[in-house]
């Protein structure tokens, strides 16, 4: 259930801003149990719409029977008992139209947290009570028509605003809907349709042309192009072949294929994204806390100013009706509704939009702090480069072993590794149709390579750094061009040869670095690769500097060095071996994590490894923060202008605001905030 009339600090799918839960109006506490939040919210909008039209129909006769309106029009339609009919119609408007606000007032008093609903409920109760007293004998002029128009405008404002909030919520709803309800499960004798949520690990499902993939998994048989744009932001369809990972919710092209399910629906990538978005929308940032504090102060100011205004006018000789009217207008103008929505609406929009573009926000503060970044440290492999190493040459230094034998032995050690270099070597062996031998006593040498026993020989595949450390000399005539990465093969502690691989620079990298320059953000390359490769990549892309031959545990130190110079550092890495550096950085961005979105140390996860996504993230973070500040300024600024007018400071010049005009101003400010939030976009 949606929490009733909660102060709207949390704008998410489970809690609407205060004044937005009307489930208790006349349905009972658990009337909507089992209904989706989305349907519940739609019912609330329909309820407000109905109340608005009923009050609109009653407001017309109320205005026609009102002595003040008749006086304006120069007519006298008063008849015996007309004041009692006016009282009866206004009572219906007060109780039926004002019910959401009155129950809200009670809830806020119970929670000892007066806010929006308390102020509106208080204002309409004062206006109604005073007008009733006039009907039953108190001298003065009632303001039933002001009461009716005030409630009418408040209902309209809430109705429009809830539709805006629902628009922001819909972004997340769209993600949820991307999961198909049914799947074709492959049984030994037939294909059987089952509910997606019943699938479990190792089940096999069939995906037909044009269908959505029902579960995360790996292609067992067949191939096809998949459209993953709604999940990862990658606009082009991606070719998936046997062994490739597929994400639930992606749309299949013309081929059909079978998938081995890797986990149940509740653990799928899409489910994790929805949970992540939901958590991000609940989490607070400094900007949200600022808005909440301002809203609390505005509530206090409204009550103090309202009562002060009433006492001032009444004690300086004005009528009780005039003093009451000023108080009601001040309290309505001061309602902190726009302020309460200023940040939550932007949060709802930005987190859901981000998820659709493959930018997953885990920490709101990290996302909003993107505007402060002065330096970005890029992990080279797979971010600035494609991350697919291809073998460019194999050189044997041992006359008894040819090139094919050298790479065959090396591949034995690499089959246990997921490093891109290992993938490159294994791909070459596969292309040469060589059989990969078995290994014994396998051991990784952190940051330097791997070692194992293969066919009775002690084999090492290591980086140049290992040779230097162990005082082994590089072979005569050894050359590697600036873009090649080289690994050396040692057999029984003797240098047997080397394998050179190269990794292509991504087409988007140069453009991303150029955009960062325009934003005055320095880009630094961080790699375990040799200085020649690092210098070449850094120069080609126009980066500010580079750190080469850096071991995983040294990455943290490099980030600290930059911070010591006063830089606000964002670090990009794969979230596994870069975890300490990601945690140390002011903003940790885990990239290329695909369905492993639980990169714990990173505040932000990018589904694709595209460097343009990192730039998009920073620009979007800045845009989001700007929207929040614009909304906060607007939501508080209009009070600075309207509050003195409501209190009557220009009364002697003939300028005063009626309660209805105050309600219009408050509604307009709320709608402006909602529209401004909805204009937020991710720049590609």
């Amino acid at each position: 259930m949606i929490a009733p009339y909660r102060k709207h600090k949390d704008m998410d799918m489970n809690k609407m801003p205060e004044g937005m839960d009307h489930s208790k109006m006349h349905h009972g506490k658990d009337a909507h149990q089992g209904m989706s939040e989305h349907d519940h919210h739609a019912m609330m909008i329909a309820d407000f719409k109905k109340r608005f039209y009923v009050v609109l129909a009653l407001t017309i006769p109320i205005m026609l029977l009102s002595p003040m309106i008749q006086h304006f029009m120069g007519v006298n339609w008063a008849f015996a008992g007309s004041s009692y009919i006016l009282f009866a119609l206004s009572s219906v408007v007060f109780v039926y139209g004002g019910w959401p606000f009155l129950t809200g007032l009670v809830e806020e008093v119970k929670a000892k947290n007066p806010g929006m609903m308390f102020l509106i409920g208080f204002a309409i109760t004062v206006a109604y009570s005073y007008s009733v007293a006039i009907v039953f004998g108190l001298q003065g002029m009632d303001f039933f028509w002001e009461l009716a128009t005030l409630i009418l405008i408040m209902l309209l404002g809430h109705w429009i605003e809830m539709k805006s909030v629902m628009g922001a919520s819909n972004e997340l709803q769209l993600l949820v809907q991307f999961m198909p309800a049914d799947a074709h499960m492959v049984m030994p004798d037939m294909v059987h349709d089952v509910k997606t949520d019943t699938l479990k690990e190792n089940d096999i499902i069939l995906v037909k042309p044009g269908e959505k993939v029902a579960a995360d998994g790996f292609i067992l048989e067949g191939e096809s192009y998949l459209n993953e744009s709604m999940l990862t932001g990658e606009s082009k369809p991606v070719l998936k072949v046997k062994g490739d990972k597929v994400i639930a919710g992606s749309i299949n092209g013309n081929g059909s294929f079978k998938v081995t399910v890797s986990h149940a629906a509740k653990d799928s990538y899409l489910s994790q994204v929805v949970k992540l978005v939901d958590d991000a929308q609940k989490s607070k940032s400094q900007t949200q806390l600022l808005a909440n504090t301002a809203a609390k102060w505005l509530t206090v100011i409204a009550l103090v100013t309202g009562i002060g205004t009433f006492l001032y006018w009444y004690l300086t000789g004005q009528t009780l009706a005039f003093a009451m009217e000023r108080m009601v207008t001040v309290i309505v103008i001061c309602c902190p509704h726009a302020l309460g929505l200023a940040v939550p609406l932007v949060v709802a929009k930005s987190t859901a939009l981000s998820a659709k573009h493959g930018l997953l926000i885990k920490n709101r503060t990290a996302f909003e702090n993107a505007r402060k970044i002065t330096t970005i440290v890029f992990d080279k492999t797979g971010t600035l480069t494609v991350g697919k190493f291809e073998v460019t040459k194999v050189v044997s230094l041992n006359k008894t072993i040819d090139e094919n034998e050298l790479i065959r032995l090396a591949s034995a050690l690499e089959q246990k590794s997921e490093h891109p270099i290992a993938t490159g070597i294994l791909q070459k062996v596969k292309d040469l149709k060589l059989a990969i031998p078995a290994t014994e006593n396998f051991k990784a040498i952190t940051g330097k390579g791997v070692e194992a026993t293969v066919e009775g020989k002690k084999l090492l595949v290591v980086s140049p750094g290992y040779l230097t450390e162990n005082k082994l000399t590089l072979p005569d005539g050894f050359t590697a061009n600036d873009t090649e990465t080289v690994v050396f093969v040692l057999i029984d502690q003797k240098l047997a040869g080397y394998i050179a691989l190269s990794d292509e620079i991504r087409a988007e990298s140069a453009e991303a670095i150029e955009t960062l320059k325009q934003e005055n953000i320095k880009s630094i390359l961080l790699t375990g690769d040799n200085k020649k490769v690092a210098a070449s990549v850094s120069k080609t892309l126009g980066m500010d500097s580079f750190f080469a031959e850096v071991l995983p545990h040294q990455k943290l130190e490099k980030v600290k060095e930059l911070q010591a110079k006063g830089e606000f550092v964002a670090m990009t890495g794969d979230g596994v071996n870069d975890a300490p550096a990601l945690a140390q950085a002011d903003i940790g961005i885990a990239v290329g994590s695909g369905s492993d979105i639980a990169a714990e140390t990173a505040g932000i996860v990018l589904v694709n490894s595209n460097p343009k996504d990192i730039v998009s993230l920073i620009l979007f973070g800045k845009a989001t923060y700007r929207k929040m500040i614009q909304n906060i300024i607007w939501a508080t600024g209009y009070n600075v202008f309207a509050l003195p007018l409501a209190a009557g400071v220009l009364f002697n010049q003939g300028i005063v605001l009626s309660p209805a005009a105050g309600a219009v101003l408050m509604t307009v400010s709320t709608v402006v905030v909602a529209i401004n939030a909805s204009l937020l976009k991710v720049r590609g």
Side-chain angles (χ1 to χ4, degrees):
M1 291 288 285
I2 300 173
Y5 295 114
R6 180 118 7 118
K7 182 90 177 130
H8 43 267
K9 295 174 187 170
D10 297 327
M11 187 17 246
D12 57 59
M13 301 316 109
N14 304 316
K15 299 189 277 293
M16 288 300 123
E18 61 180 277
M20 294 210 177
D21 182 5
H22 311 292
S23 56
K24 294 187 181 180
M25 287 175 191
H26 42 217
H27 307 294
K29 190 171 180 182
D30 297 312
H32 304 313
Q33 209 72 44
M35 181 186 294
S36 79
E37 302 291 354
H38 195 261
D39 292 342
H40 188 148
H41 196 190
M43 276 194 70
M44 283 156 52
I45 291 174
D47 187 85
F48 259 93
K49 184 179 176 182
K50 186 170 78 176
R51 285 173 196 271
F52 169 77
Y53 281 119
V54 169
V55 170
L56 178 64
L58 293 173
T59 300
I60 296 165
I62 287 170
M63 292 187 78
L64 293 175
L65 288 170
S66 171
M68 189 181 284
I69 299 294
Q70 289 181 26
H71 179 70
F72 285 152
M73 293 168 67
V75 296
N76 183 10
W77 292 331
F79 54 87
S82 63
S83 63
Y84 294 109
I85 294 171
L86 187 61
F87 159 66
L89 292 172
S90 301
S91 296
V92 175
V93 168
F94 174 66
V95 175
Y96 180 72
W99 189 253
F101 311 114
L102 297 171
T103 49
L105 177 146
V106 173
E107 292 289 343
E108 288 186 354
V109 168
K110 273 188 196 166
K112 295 180 182 157
N113 191 13
M116 168 73 183
M117 289 294 144
F118 177 85
L119 292 176
I120 297 175
F122 179 72
I124 62 175
T125 304
V126 167
Y128 178 73
S129 306
Y130 172 73
S131 300
V132 169
I134 297 291
V135 171
F136 293 101
L138 186 72
Q139 286 301 306
M141 190 173 278
D142 69 74
F143 46 94
F144 279 131
W145 77 271
E146 283 102 329
L147 172 73
T149 50
L150 176 60
I151 290 173
L152 184 73
I153 291 159
M154 283 299 185
L155 287 170
L156 177 66
H158 271 61
W159 174 23
I160 292 170
E161 172 202 298
M162 281 198 293
K163 285 181 81 170
S164 299
V165 173
M166 195 164 179
S169 310
N170 276 343
E171 303 283 353
L172 181 61
Q173 206 61 30
L174 283 171
L175 285 174
V176 178
Q177 288 165 3
F178 255 72
M179 186 69 91
D182 299 307
H184 311 303
M185 189 164 161
V186 180
M187 307 284 198
D189 53 342
M190 62 180 285
V191 175
H192 186 60
D193 282 1
V194 296
K195 291 288 173 199
T196 301
D197 52 17
T198 63
L199 292 174
K200 55 191 186 299
E201 192 179 350
N202 295 326
D203 281 347
I204 296 169
I205 58 169
L206 174 67
V207 182
K208 296 176 183 176
E211 290 185 338
K212 286 177 187 166
V213 178
D216 290 358
F218 297 89
I219 292 186
L220 178 68
E221 170 184 316
E223 62 177 60
S224 185
Y225 279 90
L226 290 188
N227 180 347
E228 300 178 334
S229 59
M230 271 297 282
L231 306 163
T232 66
E234 175 54 66
S235 55
K236 288 182 290 217
V238 183
L239 177 64
K240 300 283 183 176
V241 297
K242 186 177 176 180
D244 283 351
K245 192 183 284 187
V246 292
I247 305 174
S250 47
I251 303 165
N252 185 19
N254 296 328
S256 69
F257 52 90
K258 288 178 184 174
V259 174
T260 305
V261 177
S262 53
H263 40 232
K266 66 177 172 48
D267 299 319
S268 74
Y269 167 75
L270 199 57
S271 301
Q272 288 185 66
V273 169
V274 170
K275 183 181 182 302
L276 207 64
V277 173
D278 209 28
D279 289 347
Q281 288 178 351
K282 287 175 195 168
S283 71
K284 300 285 182 299
S285 67
Q286 293 306 311
T287 323
Q288 174 69 74
L289 297 172
L290 171 72
N292 290 341
T293 307
K296 276 202 163 51
W297 275 106
L298 207 51
T299 303
V300 173
I301 290 166
L303 287 169
V304 172
T305 313
I307 293 163
T309 300
F310 171 78
L311 292 172
Y312 172 79
W313 287 115
Y314 190 59
L315 296 175
T316 53
Q318 285 291 342
T319 61
L320 182 61
F322 181 83
M324 284 258 187
E325 188 183 77
R326 290 303 92 226
M327 177 172 76
V328 167
T329 310
V330 165
I331 285 172
V332 168
I333 284 266
C334 250
C335 281
H337 212 194
L339 194 54
L341 281 171
V343 174
L345 270 179
V346 179
V347 168
K349 183 81 177 173
S350 66
T351 38
L353 260 183
S354 299
K356 280 171 68 178
H357 287 79
L359 319 173
L360 306 179
I361 300 162
K362 296 180 70 183
N363 180 321
R364 293 281 332 159
T365 303
F367 176 57
E368 285 170 35
N369 281 345
R371 71 188 193 282
K372 297 181 188 173
I373 294 171
T374 58
T375 298
I376 295 193
V377 176
F378 284 96
D379 185 42
K380 177 180 75 81
T381 307
T383 306
L384 295 173
T385 60
V386 176
K388 280 192 175 174
F389 280 88
E390 289 182 2
V391 174
T392 49
K393 71 171 106 155
V394 180
V395 177
S396 172
L397 303 169
N398 185 325
K399 289 182 178 134
T400 61
I401 295 174
D402 66 10
E403 279 77 7
N404 283 8
E405 178 65 3
L406 187 77
I407 199 166
R408 184 185 77 86
L409 292 169
S411 70
L413 276 69
E414 301 294 6
Q415 65 187 321
K416 292 181 184 292
S417 172
E418 287 182 3
H419 193 281
I421 287 177
T423 313
I425 290 173
L426 290 169
Q427 185 58 49
K428 183 69 175 173
V429 168
K430 197 172 164 188
D431 294 344
L432 293 167
K433 297 188 167 57
L434 300 173
I436 301 171
T439 60
E440 292 169 38
N441 311 320
F442 179 86
K443 197 169 79 179
I445 313 162
T446 310
K448 301 277 171 36
V450 284
E451 66 174 279
T453 305
V454 180
E455 297 175 350
K457 304 180 186 84
K458 189 184 177 191
L459 226 76
L460 282 90
V461 177
V462 292
S463 67
Y466 179 89
L467 265 62
T468 312
E469 267 184 31
N470 290 275
K471 300 191 170 49
L472 291 165
T473 52
L474 288 169
D476 293 335
F478 167 73
T479 56
N481 71 37
D482 289 352
T483 57
E484 282 180 333
T485 297
V486 178
V487 289
F488 292 91
V489 181
L490 276 72
I491 300 175
D492 295 330
Q493 293 302 324
K494 286 185 182 164
L495 192 57
Y498 58 90
I499 301 165
L501 304 97
S502 68
D503 182 11
E504 190 187 339
I505 294 174
R506 278 179 179 270
E508 310 93 345
S509 296
E511 191 185 329
I513 300 299
E514 181 55 38
T515 309
L516 290 175
K517 273 195 174 149
Q518 289 164 12
E519 294 287 318
N520 294 319
I521 296 168
K522 292 196 263 305
S523 52
I524 294 176
L525 180 66
L526 184 69
T527 178
D529 231 326
N530 66 61
K531 282 184 182 160
K532 268 189 163 183
V533 173
S536 171
V537 172
S538 178
K539 189 178 173 191
T540 305
L541 294 176
M543 298 179 80
D544 292 277
S545 63
F546 64 87
F547 297 128
E549 295 172 26
V550 181
L551 297 175
H553 68 274
Q554 293 172 327
K555 290 182 178 178
L556 171 72
E557 297 306 319
K558 297 296 180 190
V559 171
K560 276 186 178 172
E561 278 174 34
L562 290 166
Q563 287 171 327
K565 292 177 188 168
E567 300 288 346
F568 195 90
V569 181
M571 162 83 189
T572 70
D574 65 10
V576 184
N577 67 3
D578 298 326
L582 287 171
Q584 176 63 36
D586 297 293
I587 299 175
I589 304 170
V591 294
S593 301
S595 54
D596 176 28
I597 63 166
E600 288 304 320
T601 48
I604 297 157
V605 180
L606 299 188
V607 178
N608 293 318
S609 308
N610 191 335
K612 279 179 79 175
D613 285 353
I614 296 164
V615 176
S616 289
L617 173 79
I618 293 166
L619 297 177
F620 188 52
K622 286 185 174 183
T624 300
Y625 184 75
R626 272 199 307 274
K627 283 277 180 225
M628 288 178 178
I629 298 302
Q630 283 166 10
N631 276 1
I632 290 173
I633 289 169
W634 172 262
T636 48
Y638 96 98
N639 283 295
V640 175
F641 158 75
L643 189 63
L645 291 181
V649 293
L650 296 180
F651 172 65
N652 293 331
Q653 284 75 35
I655 300 171
V656 283
L657 284 177
S658 68
V664 167
L665 269 177
M666 200 219 90
T667 298
V668 166
S669 77
T670 306
V671 172
V672 166
V673 160
I675 290 169
N676 191 36
S678 71
L679 294 174
L680 189 64
K681 284 185 175 64
V682 176
R683 269 174 63 182

